Amino acid sequence: PVSYTKGGKVYSDVIRSLKDIEPDLLVFYNYPKQIRASIYSTNMIESFNNVIKRKAKPKAEFPTEQSLDAFIGIQAMSYNDRYFNRIHKGFGQVQDTLESYFD
């Protein structure tokens, strides 16, 4: 647990909000140390967003919202297929532990 003693009166609303979301905010600490950086990092999300931007740029404009949804869906499936067999840093070391979480 985090100590909230400093700034008690000045930041009481912020501290109350943090206390409410703390279990969800710090949930990655429940996982093995080898994979924590991968969990809280946004590198994979940013990488996917860059793929979408790069591939959507030549299209300039999508005629309907459905065509945009279909385009993004196809890109997501392609991205998943490309990286399906890739083991992200640290996950190979703790695969047994992670599988035990879902038994």
Side-chain angles (χ1 to χ4, degrees), residues 27-46 88-91 93-94:
V27 74
F28 65 90
Y29 281 113
N30 296 337
Y31 291 91
K33 188 176 183 177
Q34 295 90 329
I35 64 170
R36 287 182 193 160
S38 294
I39 294 173
Y40 67 75
S41 170
T42 59
N43 291 345
M44 291 172 62
I45 296 167
E46 290 173 12
H88 205 267
K89 180 180 178 183
F91 279 78
Q93 299 169 354
V94 295

